[in-house]
Every structure is written in structure tokens, then in C-alpha cells.
Amino acid sequence: MSVIAVTGPRRLSRAEHEQALADLKCLRTCERWLVGDAPGLDELARLVCWREALHTELYQVKPQLPDRARYAERSTRMVSALAQVRGTLHAWPNKPAPPELRPSRNWPRGAQGSGTWGTIALAVGLGLNVELHPLMDDLQLPDWIETRQLAFL
């Protein structure tokens, strides 16, 4: 069974929205999707899952947590579940990675509020495959991304 998780920005420009929608539609053959509850890319993925009647597992923030920890904790749960089944993370970054960010087996330090890059660093730290769908031209990759784990789509 092919299992994927998705991550991306909470705010998408119109062009980013159209590009991400086209990319997500191409993934409809994946059997199981792990998706967050944020606006933006997560919301778009939930829409595709609903329209295509795909098996979706929704990961929601825990409102009792402090604001700054909610999305990191939610994304950590999602990537941990993905690691259990050795699935693939599909990521839509729309900006470069924060310079201090490094892969980690726990939520990485240095994400500087970039949940997308924090989620990518966590997946890389856990040894998962990551497929990037950059929403910007000439995306500069951090040196810690190994090409054997990475695919550009």
C-alpha cells in the first residue's frame, strides 16, 4: 500500500495554489494520505482527497498546547505515523530552508517558524523518502538533503 503525507505553506498565492492542485491531483493513485488540518496546502490536499474519495487520515492540532507548539507537535505525530509504514513525504516549499535547520529524529531546532521545512528535516532525520514540489524557481537546497532520499516532481 502506498502511503504519503503532505506538507506545505499555510498561505498560497494564486499561482502556487494552481501548481499545488495540479501536483496533488497527480498523486491520487496513492492509497492512503496523511494530511494536517491547516489552511493552505493541507486544505487543498483535503479537498483533493474528498473529491477523489481517497483514504485520508487527518492530523489535527491539540488546542490545549501553546500556540507555538501546536503545528510542530501535529506534524511530528504525522511524520512518526508515516515512518511506521515507511511512506513518502511530499513537500511544497515556497521559500528556502532556514540556515540553522538540520535534520533530526525529533522536531528540529532551527525551523524558525517554517513548518514545511521543519517537517522535511524531521522526515529526512527519520530516513524517509522526500519528494519536493518547489513552489519557487531555483530553490536552493540545504546541504543536508541527500539526493538518494529526494525526488523533484
Side-chain angles (χ1 to χ4, degrees):
M1 173 187 287
S2 61
V3 181
I4 64 169
V6 300
T7 187
R10 285 185 248 168
R11 289 187 273 310
L12 297 166
S13 70
R14 188 71 189 149
E16 291 171 341
H17 175 97
E18 293 303 321
Q19 180 183 338
L21 181 59
D23 293 343
L24 287 162
K25 286 179 180 179
C26 290
L27 297 172
R28 63 181 164 232
T29 58
C30 297
E31 298 171 14
R32 184 172 151 211
W33 291 42
L34 312 183
V35 181
D37 61 346
L41 192 283
D42 287 357
E43 185 175 33
L44 201 53
R46 293 190 311 269
L47 177 65
V48 169
C49 288
W50 178 76
R51 284 182 178 167
E52 300 292 332
L54 301 171
H55 177 82
T56 310
E57 293 177 24
L58 179 63
Y59 285 80
Q60 296 179 292
V61 296
K62 294 180 178 178
Q64 68 271 25
L65 293 175
D67 287 347
R68 298 196 71 165
R70 289 178 183 172
Y71 288 103
E73 188 277 335
R74 187 269 333 258
S75 294
T76 299
R77 274 188 286 120
M78 184 178 75
V79 173
S80 294
L82 186 67
Q84 293 284 322
V85 295
R86 303 307 300 166
T88 298
L89 178 69
H90 285 263
W92 282 262
N94 67 350
K95 59 186 172 187
E100 302 301 316
L101 183 65
R102 297 291 178 268
S104 176
R105 296 182 63 79
N106 300 301
W107 188 257
R109 292 187 174 162
Q112 299 176 352
S114 176
T116 300
W117 278 108
T119 304
I120 293 168
L122 177 60
V124 169
L126 292 172
L128 296 174
N129 288 325
V130 175
E131 296 195 11
L132 289 182
H133 307 260
L135 294 173
M136 63 178 292
D137 294 332
D138 301 324
L139 176 66
Q140 295 295 312
L141 297 178
D143 60 4
W144 47 261
I145 290 198
E146 298 180 30
T147 56
R148 67 176 175 77
Q149 291 179 298
L150 180 69
F152 279 98
L153 298 176

